[in-house]
Amino acid sequence: MSNLTPTLAELAIVACAEAWRGAGEIVATGVGPVPRLAASLAKSTHTPELLMTDGEAFLVEEPVPIGPRAYAHRHGTGYLPFSRFFDAAVWTGRRHAMVTPTQIDRFGQTNLSCLGGIYARPKVQMLGARGFPGNSIHHPNSMFIPAHSTRVFVDGEVDMVSSVGYNPARRTPGADFSSIDLRLIVTNLCVMDFGGADNAIRIVSLNPGVTLEEVRAATGFPLETVANIATTRLPDEGELAIIARLDPHNIRAGVIKGNPAAVRENV
């Protein structure tokens, strides 16, 4: 047994890595420290055939550590610039991205654009929809949420629909929605998927020390559950060593507030 105490961020990295298990030769894109480390961990362990970039334009066989790095030591094995990325990966469905939206609703629609009010005059302006509309309708997508709350998992519909989900009211007649494939949501409280009735979000596992009631109270819409809810698996020694190597500056420690331990003691 290891004397290392895994953090909640490290547990989340391992849980997020499962999104790419057995995915084959596709581009794994993790947006943000935890998703990026998760994709790198997946490639370094159970799914080595994944394609990854250095975060810019070069494909790499060895995942590049996050944070400041020496570009002289980059070992590119292929070239995938932005101009080719869409044809090679996005439009063909040969990519699986993990993102961190600001809002998610019960249909899996996400918001990265604005909060409150009408779209023309929002209370808070954010990044904009960016590539979410095209990404969400062409290839698999998963999500990581560091602070599970009703502000993120909202009642009703997200304030501005930035990505396509399973909402039947948003189906444009004649459009092809067959490629919508939402896979996994990992949060600081639990792991969820879209395996419920009519692609409803459901709880798959609870993080150590978290109760089902706590997750439901932190979610603005009803949640389904699998028949037997598991406890989210802790990282093993090998995974912790890989994560430490891929994040030498410990950027992961700042992702979840307070950098808590993976196993929470209920008092």
Side-chain angles (χ1 to χ4, degrees), residues 71-183:
Y71 283 91
H73 299 292
R74 175 176 55 192
H75 301 290
T77 58
Y79 188 50
L80 192 64
F82 192 74
S83 59
R84 295 178 54 195
F85 196 85
F86 292 94
D87 289 336
V90 176
W91 306 148
T92 61
R94 298 183 67 240
R95 181 200 194 201
H96 184 162
M98 179 172 286
V99 297
T100 300
T102 304
Q103 290 181 323
I104 306 170
D105 63 29
R106 66 189 181 94
F107 298 108
Q109 299 174 143
T110 68
N111 177 18
L112 191 70
S113 186
C114 60
L115 296 174
I118 59 174
Y119 183 65
R121 297 184 65 184
K123 293 180 181 178
V124 178
Q125 179 65 55
M126 299 177 296
L127 292 174
R130 311 288 286 182
F132 274 33
N135 293 345
S136 59
I137 203 168
H138 283 288
H139 62 70
N141 291 270
S142 294
M143 305 160 201
F144 166 67
I145 303 297
H148 191 137
S149 74
T150 54
R151 296 180 64 182
V152 178
F153 295 95
V154 297
D155 183 21
E157 192 173 62
V158 294
D159 290 355
M160 191 275 180
V161 178
S162 300
S163 70
V164 182
Y166 296 111
N167 186 355
R170 292 282 182 176
R171 291 291 187 263
T172 302
D176 182 6
F177 294 93
S178 61
S179 295
I180 297 174
D181 187 1
L182 304 181
R183 299 277 180 92

Side-chain angles (χ1 to χ4, degrees), residues 3-246:
N3 292 323
L4 296 175
T5 301
T7 66
L8 187 53
E10 291 164 341
L11 177 141
I13 291 166
V14 172
C16 287
E18 290 298 315
W20 290 284
R21 181 180 287 273
E25 195 176 81
I26 67 167
V27 177
T29 301
V31 181
V34 164
R36 175 78 187 189
L37 288 167
S40 298
L41 179 65
K43 182 171 177 61
S44 300
T45 54
H46 51 68
T47 311
E49 63 271 27
L50 285 173
L51 301 177
M52 290 194 69
T53 72
D54 63 346
E56 296 183 25
F58 289 92
L59 289 167
V60 293
E61 282 302 315
E62 290 295 326
V64 177
I66 64 173
R69 58 185 185 265
Y71 283 91
H73 299 292
R74 175 176 55 192
H75 301 290
T77 58
Y79 188 50
L80 192 64
F82 192 74
S83 59
R84 295 178 54 195
F85 196 85
F86 292 94
D87 289 336
V90 176
W91 306 148
T92 61
R94 298 183 67 240
R95 181 200 194 201
H96 184 162
M98 179 172 286
V99 297
T100 300
T102 304
Q103 290 181 323
I104 306 170
D105 63 29
R106 66 189 181 94
F107 298 108
Q109 299 174 143
T110 68
N111 177 18
L112 191 70
S113 186
C114 60
L115 296 174
I118 59 174
Y119 183 65
R121 297 184 65 184
K123 293 180 181 178
V124 178
Q125 179 65 55
M126 299 177 296
L127 292 174
R130 311 288 286 182
F132 274 33
N135 293 345
S136 59
I137 203 168
H138 283 288
H139 62 70
N141 291 270
S142 294
M143 305 160 201
F144 166 67
I145 303 297
H148 191 137
S149 74
T150 54
R151 296 180 64 182
V152 178
F153 295 95
V154 297
D155 183 21
E157 192 173 62
V158 294
D159 290 355
M160 191 275 180
V161 178
S162 300
S163 70
V164 182
Y166 296 111
N167 186 355
R170 292 282 182 176
R171 291 291 187 263
T172 302
D176 182 6
F177 294 93
S178 61
S179 295
I180 297 174
D181 187 1
L182 304 181
R183 299 277 180 92
L184 205 65
I185 306 175
V186 176
T187 82
N188 61 315
L189 298 181
C190 65
V191 177
M192 300 181 286
D193 67 10
F194 293 83
D198 298 321
N199 302 112
I201 296 175
R202 67 177 181 177
I203 302 170
V204 175
S205 69
L206 297 171
N207 295 349
V210 176
T211 66
L212 177 59
E213 292 72 21
E214 182 180 359
V215 176
R216 284 180 163 156
T219 307
F221 49 84
L223 286 170
E224 295 190 20
T225 66
V226 296
N228 297 298
I229 302 175
T231 299
T232 310
R233 179 177 72 83
L234 292 172
D236 62 33
E237 288 187 49
E239 290 166 332
L240 289 173
I242 293 171
I243 292 169
R245 174 172 56 81
L246 293 169

